[in-house]
Amino acid sequence: MSDKLTTEISQTTETEIRWRGQDLMTDILGKRDFAETMYLLMTGRFPEPWERQIFDACLITLMEHGLTPHAIVSRLVADSNPDQLQIAMASGLTCVGDVFAGTMEGCGRLLQEGLAADDKAQWCHDTATAYRQERRPLPGFGHPQHKPDDPRTPRLFQVAREAGATGHAIGLLEEFGTAVDTVYGRHLTINATGAIGALLLEVGIQPEIMRAIAVTSRAAGLTAHIAEEQKTRSGRRIWTLVENEFAYTGP
Amino acid sequence: MSDKLTTEISQTTETEIRWRGQDLMTDILGKRDFAETMYLLMTGRFPEPWERQIFDACLITLMEHGLTPHAIVSRLVADSNPDQLQIAMASGLTCVGDVFAGTMEGCGRLLQEGLAADDKAQWCHDTATAYRQERRPLPGFGHPQHKPDDPRTPRLFQVAREAGATGHAIGLLEEFGTAVDTVYGRHLTINATGAIGALLLEVGIQPEIMRAIAVTSRAAGLTAHIAEEQKTRSGRRIWTLVENEFAYTGP
Amino acid sequence: MSDKLTTEISQTTETEIRWRGQDLMTDILGKRDFAETMYLLMTGRFPEPWERQIFDACLITLMEHGLTPHAIVSRLVADSNPDQLQIAMASGLTCVGDVFAGTMEGCGRLLQEGLAADDKAQWCHDTATAYRQERRPLPGFGHPQHKPDDPRTPRLFQVAREAGATGHAIGLLEEFGTAVDTVYGRHLTINATGAIGALLLEVGIQPEIMRAIAVTSRAAGLTAHIAEEQKTRSGRRIWTLVENEFAYTGP
Amino acid sequence: MSDKLTTEISQTTETEIRWRGQDLMTDILGKRDFAETMYLLMTGRFPEPWERQIFDACLITLMEHGLTPHAIVSRLVADSNPDQLQIAMASGLTCVGDVFAGTMEGCGRLLQEGLAADDKAQWCHDTATAYRQERRPLPGFGHPQHKPDDPRTPRLFQVAREAGATGHAIGLLEEFGTAVDTVYGRHLTINATGAIGALLLEVGIQPEIMRAIAVTSRAAGLTAHIAEEQKTRSGRRIWTLVENEFAYTGP
């Protein structure tokens, strides 16, 4: 306990700010973009151009998906705290949880396991069979709205391949998807969070931190919802709408 | 109350996702970056190249500033909820409040007022005098660590001017800074959040939404802190450190 | 900075836990109730019996008020995080803000000012007149649903008086209410949060901490909403309901 | 989807407020206390006197435990948001998670399983053996500070028995504790959250809602920490203390 805690992220003096050794003023501002800088802070180095494109595509895809619980919660909390937008943002972001973003993390973990297997075809078949038998939800598969296929998935794969990804994780996910269809006897779409789990693996991001990337991405989208809320004031009407939908059935 | 609530942000069908009318698959992914897409969602149009550079520089500057309360809180909450990163993110982001980001919003409001004044020199002198007499904190001025000047401010001004900003808001902030030094009889630095308040005005972002941009930006930095926390496990030691610093002085 | 931080709240050894000097095992558990113990932790002493009754009535009154934003947010966040109830609770509690609980704090501050005035009748008239002229919302007055009077207010006053409160703050609020009606030329009800602001002053609780008491109280009510949510699963249907109410009007 | 959502919690008209059918003004305020009213809202009936005593003891025990992460986080967030106590409360309460309160829920689930077993002695032995072999943490056992025994546990058992609990869950937890000591070959204390898991089962509260009760309870204690923070302003010094403990070891 005598030694100090350590950090490798940033260093600040009166006149200088360095992130991972890079000078904010001369190496980053005006030269690097959001995705490159976030990748630098997370990993300790700037991404290669192909990594930047893939990481940026992942960050963009999750920004926005309409009137989801995240947006509804942010609008309601903004109505209760109109001058404190950080509360509306924070509360909305808590909806990025096991239900709506865990699939990214879960799919990433699954693919990591598959990438370490010697016989990939065998692993795909065995894993799909196990999930089906145990009736467990398959992380990264299925979507309530996008049928038969989530349109984001093939585009994300294309962007990654055109950028120059090795395609190990993407290819495995595609192979696994085919095995899933065979084993289940029907087509299950690979959804966007599943695809992002594969893309983030391609650029060296570990599953255990993937959810924080989803939170950052969704923060950008919630900013737009809160900006709209400041004009349209939907929060009060959402409240009334929901309240009126409830019937009291107690004693 | 009979008419519907409205949103102009996004539209989703089974096979298509459009944000502000732009097709996510063909117009955005692989073609636009994080800053452009966030600006689109917020304002309804893609930024011009010069706007993109300025908006991106603002998003980057606030990502990270070391072991601030945001990072300490996120690390502690991550230690209590190791599998639920969204909680650590959300709790850390609540520290973007009146104390540490309100200056951006406040400085933006002040500059808006000044931009509407006929005699800018008079406005600068009168406003600085009023704040000094009422001993109110000047939003966008002063920094505990960066003395005599916050190094981010001149670099941000430079980036914005080289990108092609009109410089109305930036110029006014500089002029106001000179008036402040004269009226106060000592040099007060324009800090980074003050500078960002001016830059965001240059690209048409209103003060009332500026704080949400700070939240989005800081989310990226907290992602790096949480990734480091997963390796170094500082949370438990921060707890012990703080606990031991408290002496019980009750009955 | 060389001296330690201090706390007067609690002290723990391997075998003993003392709160404000009281032994948890022998002085509190089995002998004192929730309201007494919370009051002890906040103030350093157990309340007198009359103070206990008033403080408890305040804690109970705010527990629950139907499908408010707090409850809707908690239900939505519980649906996104079914195994992490602390997130649903925390997010719902952020709705106890300037809009829905600030009136308690604001009314408490107003009454403190009035209690310090020499001529109470003059203060009531002047204050009501000032608020009306400046068209500022009167903290502690008005209620969208309870008309002409909030039924909780007279009952809270009665409970406090029967318990043995001096009635200084309550009496002033009643007098102020009469002045408000005269100055505004119509009846404005004193609402429950206004009444609670007065009751808490009667038992020595300062306005600046009142909101945290509201948060604690509402936590109990949200527990009931989340318990019901676990059975009825309303979150998903609230989402659909709200989503369907929005019409896309963008490009 | 055509039928309405339902709630059995409360019903409000212009002049009346009923919680679970009880009139707030005539049946609750001035007649019932915090624990009774919370129990009513959660379960639909007032507790019997013995249930009230046990439920109240559970609520009190978890209120406070010194400078834990909950309190540290609340103090830091209060320093960043001095006028918005709900944020400090909410952020601190998120630390009631899998690490520090999940044991209550987990222990409750374990006991439910044991209560359903035909041969309790066999179940105790088998379960302790399984946890030891799989090296899984035993929910409700062990405490870093309280050794050899958590002093709250025997007092909680005593309060519950004197109140008149059947003792089924408590007795099973004691029996299980003895089996644990035998199987592990050393003494593991039953901690307070384990004991509370048993007590809450005695009064009919299900494991899946137990954590929300811990959140409510801890809210009361955090109120005291925030009240102290308003006087001592420890937040800024905690920040400095932690920041200075970190050494930069990056490039």
Side-chain angles (χ1 to χ4, degrees):
Chain A
M1 275 303 243
S2 66
D3 36 16
K4 287 209 145 194
L5 291 164
T6 60
T7 183
E8 302 187 351
I9 297 174
S10 73
Q11 196 178 22
T12 302
T13 66
E14 286 192 1
T15 56
E16 213 182 32
I17 296 173
R18 286 184 172 278
W19 292 350
R20 298 283 190 176
Q22 305 288 335
D23 187 297
L24 173 61
M25 266 54 78
T26 61
D27 301 326
I28 300 175
L29 283 176
K31 294 183 181 162
R32 300 290 187 163
D33 70 12
F34 185 91
E36 286 173 294
T37 309
M38 183 176 174
Y39 191 95
L40 167 73
L41 285 170
M42 287 180 67
T43 68
R45 64 171 175 86
F46 285 120
E48 297 297 319
W50 68 270
E51 292 171 318
R52 197 211 71 72
Q53 288 177 59
I54 295 172
F55 187 64
D56 205 12
C58 293
L59 276 171
I60 289 169
T61 304
L62 293 171
M63 271 191 194
E64 162 60 21
H65 212 252
L67 270 296
T68 59
H70 317 73
I72 300 170
V73 165
S74 279
R75 285 166 181 259
L76 284 167
V77 177
D79 182 56
S80 284
N81 297 277
D83 300 324
Q84 307 289 332
L85 304 190
Q86 73 277 22
I87 319 185
M89 298 285 284
S91 295
L93 292 172
T94 60
C95 293
V96 181
D98 286 344
V99 177
F100 298 116
T103 53
M104 188 197 310
E105 194 178 304
C107 186
R109 288 221 169 82
L110 207 58
L111 293 173
Q112 261 190 333
E113 191 190 300
L115 288 169
D118 287 331
D119 185 336
K120 306 260 180 295
Q122 190 67 44
W123 176 85
C124 286
H125 178 79
D126 292 351
T127 304
T129 306
Y131 269 84
R132 194 186 179 203
Q133 285 178 344
E134 298 163 21
R135 296 171 174 277
R136 291 164 58 195
L138 256 175
F141 284 82
H143 199 281
Q145 188 173 12
H146 296 302
K147 294 170 184 169
D149 278 303
D150 188 325
R152 296 167 293 184
T153 299
R155 178 65 184 138
L156 283 167
F157 288 171
Q158 184 186 27
V159 165
R161 282 183 168 125
E162 287 177 9
T166 66
H168 293 323
I170 294 172
L172 179 61
L173 180 52
E174 289 176 323
E175 187 179 350
F176 182 55
T178 305
V180 164
D181 287 0
T182 305
V183 168
Y184 281 69
R186 63 192 164 92
H187 177 56
L188 291 179
T189 187
I190 302 170
N191 61 37
T193 53
I196 289 172
L199 264 71
L200 288 176
L201 280 184
E202 296 274 351
V203 298
I205 303 291
Q206 298 306 302
E208 57 264 31
I209 195 65
M210 288 180 182
R211 190 179 295 188
I213 294 168
V215 170
T216 303
S217 174
R218 186 51 59 96
L222 290 182
T223 301
H225 279 279
I226 293 172
E228 187 171 83
E229 174 68 18
Q230 291 177 333
K231 289 177 199 144
T232 61
R233 311 287 311 201
S234 70
R236 214 54 70 94
R237 284 183 58 191
I238 292 173
W239 174 10
T240 305
L241 175 73
V242 174
E243 200 173 27
N244 290 343
E245 190 69 12
F246 273 85
Y248 176 75
T249 54
Chain B
M1 269 311 237
S2 66
D3 37 17
K4 286 210 149 195
L5 290 164
T6 60
T7 182
E8 303 187 350
I9 297 175
S10 74
Q11 197 178 21
T12 301
T13 67
E14 287 191 1
T15 56
E16 211 181 34
I17 296 172
R18 287 185 171 276
W19 293 350
R20 297 283 191 176
Q22 305 288 334
D23 186 297
L24 173 61
M25 267 52 80
T26 61
D27 300 327
I28 299 176
L29 282 177
K31 294 184 181 160
R32 299 292 187 163
D33 69 12
F34 185 93
E36 285 173 296
T37 310
M38 182 176 175
Y39 191 95
L40 167 72
L41 285 169
M42 286 180 67
T43 68
R45 64 171 174 86
F46 285 120
E48 298 297 319
W50 67 272
E51 291 171 319
R52 197 213 70 74
Q53 288 177 60
I54 294 172
F55 188 63
D56 205 11
C58 293
L59 276 171
I60 289 168
T61 304
L62 292 172
M63 270 191 194
E64 162 61 21
H65 212 252
L67 269 297
T68 59
H70 318 73
I72 300 170
V73 165
S74 280
R75 286 167 180 257
L76 285 166
V77 177
D79 182 57
S80 285
N81 296 279
D83 299 324
Q84 306 289 332
L85 304 191
Q86 74 277 22
I87 318 184
M89 296 286 281
S91 295
L93 292 172
T94 61
C95 293
V96 181
D98 287 343
V99 178
F100 298 117
T103 54
M104 188 196 310
E105 195 178 303
C107 186
R109 289 220 168 84
L110 207 58
L111 293 173
Q112 263 190 332
E113 190 190 300
L115 288 168
D118 289 330
D119 185 337
K120 306 257 181 297
Q122 190 68 44
W123 176 86
C124 286
H125 177 79
D126 292 352
T127 304
T129 305
Y131 270 83
R132 197 190 174 199
Q133 285 179 344
E134 297 163 21
R135 293 169 174 279
R136 291 165 58 196
L138 257 173
F141 283 82
H143 199 282
Q145 188 173 13
H146 296 303
K147 293 172 186 171
D149 278 303
D150 189 325
R152 296 168 292 186
T153 300
R155 179 63 184 140
L156 285 167
F157 288 171
Q158 185 185 29
V159 165
R161 283 184 169 125
E162 286 177 9
T166 65
H168 294 323
I170 294 171
L172 179 62
L173 181 52
E174 289 176 322
E175 188 180 348
F176 182 56
T178 306
V180 163
D181 288 0
T182 305
V183 167
Y184 281 69
R186 63 194 165 91
H187 178 56
L188 289 180
T189 187
I190 301 170
N191 61 39
T193 53
I196 289 171
L199 263 72
L200 289 175
L201 280 185
E202 295 274 350
V203 298
I205 304 291
Q206 297 306 300
E208 56 265 31
I209 196 65
M210 288 181 181
R211 192 179 292 187
I213 294 169
V215 170
T216 303
S217 174
R218 187 50 59 94
L222 290 182
T223 301
H225 279 278
I226 292 172
E228 186 171 85
E229 175 68 19
Q230 291 177 332
K231 289 177 198 145
T232 61
R233 312 287 311 200
S234 70
R236 215 53 71 94
R237 284 183 58 193
I238 292 173
W239 174 11
T240 305
L241 175 73
V242 174
E243 200 174 28
N244 290 341
E245 190 68 13
F246 273 84
Y248 176 73
T249 54
Chain C
M1 273 306 241
S2 66
D3 36 17
K4 288 209 145 194
L5 290 164
T6 60
T7 182
E8 301 187 350
I9 297 174
S10 74
Q11 197 178 22
T12 301
T13 67
E14 287 191 0
T15 56
E16 211 182 34
I17 296 172
R18 287 185 169 277
W19 293 349
R20 298 283 189 175
Q22 305 288 335
D23 186 297
L24 173 61
M25 267 53 79
T26 61
D27 301 327
I28 300 176
L29 283 176
K31 295 184 180 159
R32 300 291 187 163
D33 69 14
F34 185 91
E36 286 174 295
T37 310
M38 182 176 176
Y39 191 96
L40 167 72
L41 285 169
M42 287 180 68
T43 68
R45 65 172 174 85
F46 286 120
E48 298 296 319
W50 68 271
E51 290 171 318
R52 197 210 72 72
Q53 288 178 59
I54 294 173
F55 187 64
D56 204 11
C58 293
L59 276 170
I60 289 168
T61 304
L62 293 171
M63 270 192 194
E64 162 62 21
H65 212 249
L67 269 297
T68 59
H70 318 72
I72 301 169
V73 165
S74 280
R75 285 166 181 258
L76 285 166
V77 176
D79 182 56
S80 285
N81 297 278
D83 300 324
Q84 308 288 333
L85 305 190
Q86 74 276 22
I87 319 185
M89 297 284 284
S91 295
L93 291 172
T94 61
C95 293
V96 180
D98 286 345
V99 178
F100 298 117
T103 53
M104 189 197 311
E105 195 177 304
C107 186
R109 287 220 169 84
L110 208 57
L111 292 173
Q112 262 190 333
E113 190 190 301
L115 287 169
D118 287 331
D119 185 337
K120 307 256 179 300
Q122 190 67 43
W123 176 86
C124 287
H125 178 79
D126 292 351
T127 304
T129 306
Y131 269 83
R132 197 190 175 198
Q133 285 179 344
E134 297 163 21
R135 294 170 175 277
R136 292 164 58 196
L138 255 174
F141 284 81
H143 198 281
Q145 188 173 14
H146 296 303
K147 293 172 186 170
D149 278 303
D150 189 325
R152 297 168 293 186
T153 300
R155 179 62 184 140
L156 284 167
F157 288 171
Q158 183 185 31
V159 165
R161 283 184 167 125
E162 286 177 9
T166 66
H168 293 322
I170 295 171
L172 180 61
L173 181 52
E174 289 176 322
E175 188 179 348
F176 182 56
T178 306
V180 164
D181 287 1
T182 306
V183 168
Y184 281 69
R186 62 191 166 92
H187 177 57
L188 290 179
T189 186
I190 301 170
N191 61 37
T193 53
I196 289 171
L199 263 71
L200 288 175
L201 279 184
E202 296 275 350
V203 297
I205 303 291
Q206 297 305 301
E208 57 264 31
I209 196 65
M210 287 180 181
R211 190 180 294 188
I213 294 169
V215 170
T216 303
S217 174
R218 186 51 60 97
L222 290 181
T223 301
H225 279 278
I226 293 172
E228 187 172 84
E229 175 67 19
Q230 290 177 332
K231 288 178 199 144
T232 61
R233 311 288 311 206
S234 70
R236 215 52 73 93
R237 285 183 56 193
I238 291 173
W239 174 10
T240 306
L241 175 73
V242 174
E243 201 173 28
N244 291 343
E245 190 69 12
F246 273 85
Y248 176 74
T249 54
Chain D
M1 274 303 243
S2 65
D3 37 15
K4 286 210 146 195
L5 291 164
T6 61
T7 182
E8 303 187 350
I9 297 174
S10 73
Q11 197 178 23
T12 301
T13 66
E14 287 191 2
T15 56
E16 211 181 33
I17 296 172
R18 286 185 172 275
W19 293 349
R20 297 285 191 175
Q22 305 288 334
D23 186 298
L24 173 60
M25 267 53 80
T26 61
D27 300 327
I28 300 175
L29 282 176
K31 294 183 182 162
R32 299 291 187 164
D33 69 13
F34 185 93
E36 286 173 295
T37 310
M38 183 177 175
Y39 191 96
L40 167 73
L41 284 169
M42 288 180 66
T43 69
R45 65 169 175 86
F46 285 120
E48 297 297 317
W50 68 271
E51 291 171 318
R52 196 211 72 73
Q53 288 178 59
I54 294 172
F55 187 63
D56 204 12
C58 292
L59 277 171
I60 289 169
T61 304
L62 293 171
M63 271 192 194
E64 162 60 21
H65 213 249
L67 270 296
T68 59
H70 317 72
I72 300 170
V73 166
S74 280
R75 286 167 180 257
L76 285 166
V77 177
D79 182 56
S80 285
N81 297 278
D83 300 324
Q84 306 289 332
L85 304 190
Q86 74 277 21
I87 318 183
M89 297 285 284
S91 295
L93 291 172
T94 60
C95 293
V96 181
D98 287 344
V99 178
F100 299 115
T103 53
M104 189 196 313
E105 196 176 303
C107 185
R109 288 220 169 83
L110 207 58
L111 293 174
Q112 263 191 332
E113 191 191 300
L115 287 169
D118 287 331
D119 185 337
K120 306 258 179 298
Q122 190 67 43
W123 176 87
C124 286
H125 177 79
D126 292 352
T127 305
T129 304
Y131 269 83
R132 196 189 176 199
Q133 285 178 344
E134 298 162 23
R135 294 171 174 276
R136 291 166 57 198
L138 255 174
F141 283 81
H143 199 281
Q145 188 173 13
H146 296 303
K147 292 171 187 169
D149 278 303
D150 188 325
R152 297 167 292 185
T153 300
R155 179 63 185 139
L156 284 167
F157 288 171
Q158 184 186 28
V159 165
R161 282 181 168 129
E162 285 177 11
T166 66
H168 293 323
I170 294 171
L172 179 62
L173 180 53
E174 288 175 323
E175 188 179 349
F176 182 56
T178 305
V180 164
D181 288 359
T182 304
V183 168
Y184 281 68
R186 63 192 163 91
H187 178 56
L188 290 179
T189 187
I190 301 169
N191 61 37
T193 53
I196 289 172
L199 262 71
L200 288 175
L201 279 184
E202 295 274 351
V203 298
I205 304 291
Q206 298 305 302
E208 58 265 30
I209 196 64
M210 287 181 183
R211 191 179 293 189
I213 294 169
V215 170
T216 303
S217 175
R218 186 50 60 94
L222 289 182
T223 301
H225 279 279
I226 292 172
E228 187 173 85
E229 176 67 18
Q230 291 177 331
K231 289 178 197 143
T232 62
R233 311 287 311 202
S234 71
R236 214 54 71 93
R237 285 183 57 192
I238 292 173
W239 175 9
T240 306
L241 175 73
V242 174
E243 200 174 28
N244 291 341
E245 190 68 13
F246 273 85
Y248 176 73
T249 55

